[in-house]
Amino acid sequence: MSSLPFDRLPRRLLITGGAGFIGSNFARYWCETAPGDRIVVLDALTYAGNRANLAELELDGRLRLVQGDIGDRALVDRLLQQEQIDTIAHFAAESHVDRSILAPDAFIQTNLVGSFTLLEAFRHHVESLRRPPLFLHVSTDEVYGSLEPEDPPFSETTPYAPNSPYAASKAGSDHLARAYYHTYKLPTIITNCSNNYGPYHFPEKLIPLTCINILLGKPIPVYGDGQNIRDWLYVGDHCQALAIIIRHGQPGENYNIGGNNEVTNLDLVERLCDLMDELAPALPVKPARQLITLVGDRPGHDRRYAINASKMSHELDWRPQVSLAEGLRQTVSWYLTHPDWWRPLLSPEYQAYYQQQYGEKNRLSKP
Ligand code: NAD
Ligand code: TYD
């Protein structure tokens, strides 16, 4: 937990992508920790955006949700002006690597062109602003590419080497945010975070997909040999890190955020199966590990991600609070108790995606 002095400056905050997984957790976190601030969410409500994620905050007037595209310059200009926004927390993105392989267009459009539009609009907007502005660009560790087993974790000076269209589009937007600081002196900060997990995570991603498939008694698809490694961070810890960076981070800097939890996908999925066996009152297939199925690998699948978050701990006194064991337990419990949240997301569109992604790959083989 940070012991830095609290920055009491009231903010007028625009959260882009605030109806998605991390954005909605962040909106809730900000409403709870800075109740005096004005909070506006701009979200296109794509398949991954869900108004229900913000329902209680919207209902009691703690935030305003505007449905719209970050690439719509006229809308963004109007909103920045009307709400006198001084701080942007930019989460809006197409975020799923597998979809970026199937259809990269939307990734370039939103992540690259949309981020550019937002930066341009904010650059012009702040010329007339009286309060100090900040543009927080929320990015990913995937921009650094893939590590070998013996490599040191990614640091803030690791060269970029994105391998998927998703990672490349995020890398491009990181470079734009950096360039706007250097060229126009727009105060931007870039964060590169490892894999998040927790409540409100869309069903297509590995952890919610595993939880939901166990509850439905469906095969759990694990790509390749299941030995790819990710560094997992509980979403609440990410939100806390971002809040500290907004209050105390240095414009022009980038910060790596990670959980120091390197796990293979197979190990992770096995842990989730065991937690479900323990916590669910009844399961269609038990022990749930029987559902684990190795399927064809993701093209260009990065082998290992790991984050060195020592800059965050040394400079901003942040470190993760939630252990992987505790975070996974909380997450499994949340999916168990929130079928009314995830069931409607398994829509015909989602089923079509699922079929396209997994239909031909479901060659059953046990690890
Ligand atoms: P998500 O897919 O759950 O949510 C993205 C949100 O952005 C959705 O609400 C969607 O409707 C909205 N959106 C998409 N296109 C838009 C557009 N053109 N205009 C306005 N809104 C749009 O994603 P997430 O997992 O919450 O990720 C949020 C951010 O964090 C992304 O920028 C992602 O790159 C980054 N990130 C994610 C992770 C992770 O593990 N999920 C890790 C590190 C960084
Ligand atoms: P994901 O949640 O898509 O995040 P990212 O690709 O951004 O790291 O995937 C996490 C890991 O899980 C990644 O190595 C790919 C793997 N994976 C599977 O093995 N099976 C799946 O069905 C999915 C969606 C992911």
Side-chain angles (χ1 to χ4, degrees), residues 96-98 142 195 204-206 209 221-223 228 230 232 265 298 301 305 358:
H96 191 37
V97 173
D98 292 323
E142 305 197 22
N195 287 62
E204 67 193 353
K205 304 282 169 65
L206 180 64
L209 182 132
V222 175
Y223 297 156
N228 300 66
R230 296 292 182 266
W232 293 94
N265 291 338
R298 169 188 283 173
H301 193 177
Y305 300 147
Y358 298 102

Side-chain angles (χ1 to χ4, degrees), residues 17 19-23 42-46 48-50 68-71 90-95 110 138-140 166 170 193-196 201 205 238:
F21 164 48
I22 307 175
L42 174 61
D43 198 296
L45 298 179
T46 68
N50 187 350
D69 192 324
I70 54 165
H90 177 35
F91 295 87
E94 290 291 337
S95 69
T110 287
V138 180
S139 190
T140 165
Y166 163 68
K170 292 296 292 188
C193 187
S194 63
N195 287 62
N196 283 216
H201 206 177
K205 304 282 169 65
H238 187 193

Side-chain angles (χ1 to χ4, degrees), residues 141-154 158-164 167 227-230 300-306:
D141 59 357
E142 305 197 22
V143 298
Y144 296 121
S146 185
L147 293 169
E148 297 295 330
E150 66 284 357
D151 285 341
F154 302 129
T158 302
Y160 275 30
N163 289 321
S164 69
Q227 296 307 308
N228 300 66
I229 292 172
R230 296 292 182 266
H301 193 177
D302 285 338
R303 195 62 175 168
R304 173 177 167 237
Y305 300 147

